[in-house]
Amino acid sequence: MPTENLHLIQVHWEGSYNIMDLHSLKNEEIDYGVYQIYGKHPVYGSDVLLYIGKADYQTLGKRILQEDWLDRNDLNNTKIYVGRLHGPHTPAMEQWSLEIDLVERLLIYVHKPAYNARSISSLPDVAMQHVHVLNWGHHRDLFPEISGSRWTSKLDHTGYETYRWV
């Protein structure tokens, strides 16, 4: 399998935070990325992954507050984890935003959180085929590593043979 087009995106996760901590996530230099919300779900139970979102042109603290998590019935047990992208250098804002979007889409598609119902059924296949996400730190219930190679049609028609001793 060729890897020359690999688009590696690394995410460092921190948390947990609660709703009242969101004021600390408004640093306009670094507080952009993806986030996970955990809490009570009537079918899946308590302390489960409910939602994955992104904050690219506004800070994590500002974006998460727009999601109306304050209206949830179990506010005291809502936990938030934030993931900031990292690498050897900070890309231009357009590229940074694109990478945040790619990470969010792949995370939602692979993990299927209950409150992301609109985004779990499809994935932009060609755009995601070379994306490879590494989750570091407190990534909670997310897989430590996910790949577009696995979750798209990239390898559907690849021929292979079972290994055998010759």
Side-chain angles (χ1 to χ4, degrees):
M1 174 179 65
T3 59
E4 60 272 356
N5 293 327
L6 178 69
H7 186 165
L8 180 65
I9 305 171
Q10 298 189 67
V11 183
H12 185 266
W13 291 93
E14 295 178 352
S16 72
Y17 296 92
N18 64 43
I19 297 294
M20 302 309 157
D21 294 330
L22 294 178
H23 68 279
S24 69
L25 298 172
K26 293 184 178 180
N27 181 328
E28 294 193 3
E29 288 184 24
I30 63 167
D31 284 333
Y32 305 95
V34 287
Y35 58 93
Q36 311 170 58
I37 307 287
Y38 288 79
K40 182 179 178 183
H41 187 276
V43 174
Y44 303 123
S46 59
D47 202 27
V48 297
L49 177 61
L50 298 173
Y51 187 79
I52 294 172
K54 68 176 181 177
D56 53 357
Y57 286 101
Q58 54 189 327
T59 63
L60 288 155
K62 184 174 182 181
R63 178 68 188 122
I64 298 168
L65 282 173
Q66 294 172 351
E67 297 283 348
D68 294 327
W69 293 104
L70 290 171
D71 296 335
R72 303 291 175 190
N73 62 352
D74 197 18
L75 183 61
N76 291 333
N77 293 312
T78 300
K79 296 176 185 166
I80 302 162
Y81 293 80
V82 298
R84 294 179 184 91
L85 281 58
H86 65 95
H89 64 278
T90 302
M93 193 61 185
E94 296 78 24
Q95 180 65 29
W96 191 1
S97 177
L98 172 66
E99 291 185 0
I100 290 170
D101 185 63
L102 292 170
V103 168
E104 181 206 31
R105 286 173 178 244
L106 193 55
L107 287 173
I108 290 170
Y109 186 78
V110 170
H111 295 93
K112 303 194 181 339
Y115 293 150
N116 286 103
R118 283 189 309 171
S119 304
I120 62 174
S121 61
S122 66
L123 189 67
D125 194 78
V126 174
M128 300 303 267
Q129 288 186 357
H130 300 289
V131 174
H132 195 98
V133 177
L134 298 177
N135 291 307
W136 301 99
H138 298 279
H139 56 82
R140 186 66 196 264
D141 291 345
L142 301 182
F143 293 128
E145 187 170 354
I146 56 177
S147 168
S149 295
R150 166 63 178 89
W151 294 96
T152 65
S153 65
K154 180 178 180 178
L155 302 177
D156 285 357
H157 303 290
T158 302
Y160 67 90
E161 292 191 28
T162 303
Y163 286 5
R164 65 182 77 226
W165 290 108
V166 273

